[in-house]
Amino acid sequence: MTSPLKTLLELLATRSTGEIAVASVTDFFTAESVSGFKKAAILHEGEPRKTISCSSCDEEHHVEWKKLPDGRFLAFCERGGKLQFVSKDEILTLQIEIKAFLTSLATAVGAEIDIKPLVSDELWEIGVITVTKRQRRVLFLRSNSSQRHIEFINALSKTIPITVFSIHPSALGVAEEVTFVDPTLFTALGAAGLQ
């Protein structure tokens, strides 16, 4: 079975909003993993979805839902003309909190924490670590976009060596002072977050 941390990193790479429907969270994580991520503030309640997948017709599309006075949720498919009751778990979402995740990762690797986005929501600085009495800047690459950012990463490495945490392969043309490391190799999810 894939580790919860690896699954979380894969979700971060493929879902720009970091959103997971409560109904599908068990497709990705065990209840214990969800509890650990919630305790570490990496997962928290997100905004309710405004639409859900239609299950009353053969077409793949989304329909809006309405809350009834009795507390139930109802959706109507105009294409098939059918009503469908919707479970609360189909509407509710969990959100992956990227800064809480990066704080936990920085703590797990013993970094002096300084979290800030460098390139949009893809490349983040998370701090500085000391390895064999030499400081290294620590970055986190969220998506499989290292080739797009390699010139920038190489330029940063001219002042201080860089370690890039990413589950994705390193780009071609990586400078000698840049190291790509898969964080799942030495960090794991524990009761207090990443360890």
Side-chain angles (χ1 to χ4, degrees):
M1 181 176 192
T2 305
S3 80
L5 177 56
K6 179 111 174 144
T7 302
L8 180 77
L9 290 166
E10 290 167 349
L11 287 170
L12 278 173
T14 58
R15 297 176 185 223
S16 59
T17 62
E19 181 183 273
I20 308 167
V22 169
S24 65
V25 77
T26 57
D27 295 342
F28 301 104
F29 303 109
T30 63
E32 182 181 345
S33 297
V34 171
S35 176
F37 284 135
K38 283 183 175 180
K39 284 179 184 172
I42 294 170
L43 275 180
H44 63 87
E45 288 184 19
E47 292 292 319
R49 292 182 171 192
K50 293 182 177 24
T51 62
I52 55 137
S53 294
C54 179
S55 64
S56 69
C57 73
D58 295 334
E59 295 181 42
E60 286 188 32
H61 66 102
H62 286 81
V63 292
E64 291 185 11
W65 56 269
K66 302 285 184 215
K67 187 173 182 178
L68 299 175
D70 65 4
R72 294 182 300 163
F73 301 95
L74 185 68
F76 177 71
C77 173
E78 294 177 2
R79 297 178 189 182
K82 295 181 183 175
L83 294 173
Q84 65 188 59
F85 285 98
V86 180
S87 76
K88 192 174 182 179
D89 286 349
E90 289 178 84
I91 296 167
L92 298 179
T93 65
L94 292 173
Q95 192 75 32
I96 301 170
E97 179 56 51
I98 186 88
K99 287 188 178 181
F101 166 73
L102 294 177
T103 300
S104 196
L105 177 61
T107 302
V109 299
E112 296 174 27
I113 301 171
D114 183 19
I115 297 171
K116 56 189 168 202
L118 297 177
V119 178
S120 181
D121 197 25
E122 293 181 354
L123 183 65
W124 292 72
E125 181 169 351
I126 62 173
V128 175
I129 59 173
T130 303
V131 179
T132 60
K133 298 182 181 180
R134 188 170 182 199
Q135 288 193 325
R136 295 186 70 89
R137 179 180 276 165
V138 182
L139 306 181
F140 172 73
L141 184 64
R142 177 179 173 157
S143 62
N144 192 6
S145 58
S146 59
Q147 201 62 53
R148 231 183 3 243
H149 305 306
I150 199 59
E151 287 182 25
F152 178 64
I153 293 169
N154 285 343
L156 288 175
S157 73
K158 291 180 181 177
T159 57
I160 182 173
I162 294 189
T163 297
V164 179
F165 286 109
S166 177
I167 59 169
H168 307 289
S170 63
L172 299 173
V174 175
E176 186 177 308
E177 293 295 322
V178 177
T179 306
F180 276 73
V181 176
D182 182 346
T184 62
L185 296 175
F186 61 94
T187 56
L189 174 67
L194 302 180
Q195 300 171 339

